[in-house]
Amino acid sequence: MNKNNKIFQDLFVLEMTNNHLGKLERAYQIIEEYAPIVRFNNVRAGIKLQFRDIDTFIHKDFKNSNIRQIKRSQETNLTKEEYKKIVNYIKKNNMIALSTPFDENSVDLCVDLNLPIIKIASANINDWVLLNKVAETKKPVIASLGGASLNDCDSLVKFFENREIPLAINHCVCTYPTRDEDLQLNQIDFLRERYPNLVVGLSTHEDTDWTNSILIS
């Protein structure tokens, strides 16, 4: 493994996304429930948020839409100061704060909050405007590859390698939730063989429990 990729070694990323429901107190509660499990098991863990600049991310013609995804993004929106408080609370509980930015302004927020790692969602691995913005930060990147073509994967890896930016990649099946028989865990071996200098992980959405994820080494 490339020494620059050690930041990803043995890292478990715990997902918060928008499960804080736009409420600071609920975000604190989630962190407080994760923290003792992480400590008890001596796990190196991060908690991942999602950042969207609602004013620019949602087109003006859809601001009052009843589309489920748009409503959830608007209803769970937090201010920069609230995100800062969440990030500080994650750090206070000895975990790593990171985020998935879905637009260029949200990449700036990752920088402003001094997040050590930026996550790229499966849907954005060929969004070259966003990827260039992320690369400008020089921060280590984790990218999920759900639904990606092999050409997209190769292009993504080459893009960050050429810029000497640490990169980890996650095998991901874009089914929510994912049944155990659909996890296609053999793809982890395929990715390890194709990209031997990278840390390869799993971004997972199991239907039942995390048994299959925990067995991966």
Side-chain angles (χ1 to χ4, degrees), residues 135-201:
E136 288 173 2
T137 72
K138 297 296 183 182
K139 290 181 178 290
V141 171
I142 300 173
S144 288
L145 305 182
S149 69
L150 200 53
N151 183 63
D152 283 340
C153 296
D154 288 345
S155 297
L156 179 86
V157 170
K158 183 178 291 186
F159 176 81
F160 286 105
E161 282 184 344
N162 287 345
R163 288 156 181 78
E164 298 183 344
I165 294 172
L167 174 69
I169 53 176
N170 285 340
H171 165 59
C172 178
V173 176
C174 291
T175 307
Y176 300 82
T178 309
R179 298 178 302 175
D180 288 350
E181 58 267 32
D182 294 330
L183 286 171
Q184 301 182 43
L185 298 181
N186 62 321
Q187 294 303 299
I188 294 174
D189 288 334
F190 171 79
L191 292 172
R192 284 174 171 171
E193 291 175 7
R194 191 170 185 87
Y195 310 114
N197 293 324
L198 299 184
V199 172
V200 178

Side-chain angles (χ1 to χ4, degrees), residues 5-173:
N5 292 332
K6 286 186 177 180
I7 188 171
F8 309 121
Q9 195 67 27
D10 300 322
L11 177 63
F12 285 76
V13 178
L14 308 171
E15 190 72 64
M16 187 182 296
T17 60
N18 296 323
N19 292 322
H20 49 67
L21 302 181
K23 298 176 182 178
L24 199 58
E25 296 76 16
R26 180 174 169 86
Y28 289 164
Q29 180 185 357
I30 292 170
I31 296 165
E32 289 167 359
E33 291 183 2
Y34 276 144
I37 299 171
V38 167
R39 285 196 301 270
F40 180 80
N41 293 283
N42 194 28
V43 172
R44 182 169 176 261
I47 294 183
K48 186 177 78 66
L49 304 162
Q50 290 185 353
F51 293 162
R52 296 174 179 85
D53 181 6
I54 297 299
D55 290 338
T56 59
F57 188 74
I58 299 174
H59 191 279
K60 61 182 177 63
D61 293 345
F62 291 88
K63 294 289 185 180
N64 299 313
S65 170
N66 285 322
I67 297 173
R68 180 173 62 88
Q69 292 87 347
I70 293 177
K71 285 187 66 178
R72 181 169 175 81
S73 293
Q74 291 177 311
E75 292 169 354
T76 60
N77 191 37
L78 291 168
T79 67
K80 177 180 176 179
E81 285 305 310
E82 288 172 322
Y83 279 125
K84 183 177 180 179
K85 290 178 180 178
I86 294 172
V87 166
N88 287 337
Y89 204 63
I90 292 171
K91 293 178 181 177
K92 181 180 177 181
N93 282 273
N94 299 311
M95 289 178 283
I96 299 166
L98 62 153
S99 182
T100 301
F102 285 88
D103 52 80
E104 297 93 282
N105 289 342
S106 294
V107 176
D108 289 334
L109 181 57
C110 291
V111 174
D112 291 344
L113 297 180
N114 197 30
L115 302 187
I117 300 172
I118 292 178
K119 171 72 166 53
I120 302 295
S122 294
N124 296 124
I125 71 161
N126 56 7
D127 182 345
W128 294 105
V129 175
L130 181 64
L131 294 177
N132 272 289
K133 181 73 174 183
V134 170
E136 288 173 2
T137 72
K138 297 296 183 182
K139 290 181 178 290
V141 171
I142 300 173
S144 288
L145 305 182
S149 69
L150 200 53
N151 183 63
D152 283 340
C153 296
D154 288 345
S155 297
L156 179 86
V157 170
K158 183 178 291 186
F159 176 81
F160 286 105
E161 282 184 344
N162 287 345
R163 288 156 181 78
E164 298 183 344
I165 294 172
L167 174 69
I169 53 176
N170 285 340
H171 165 59
C172 178
V173 176

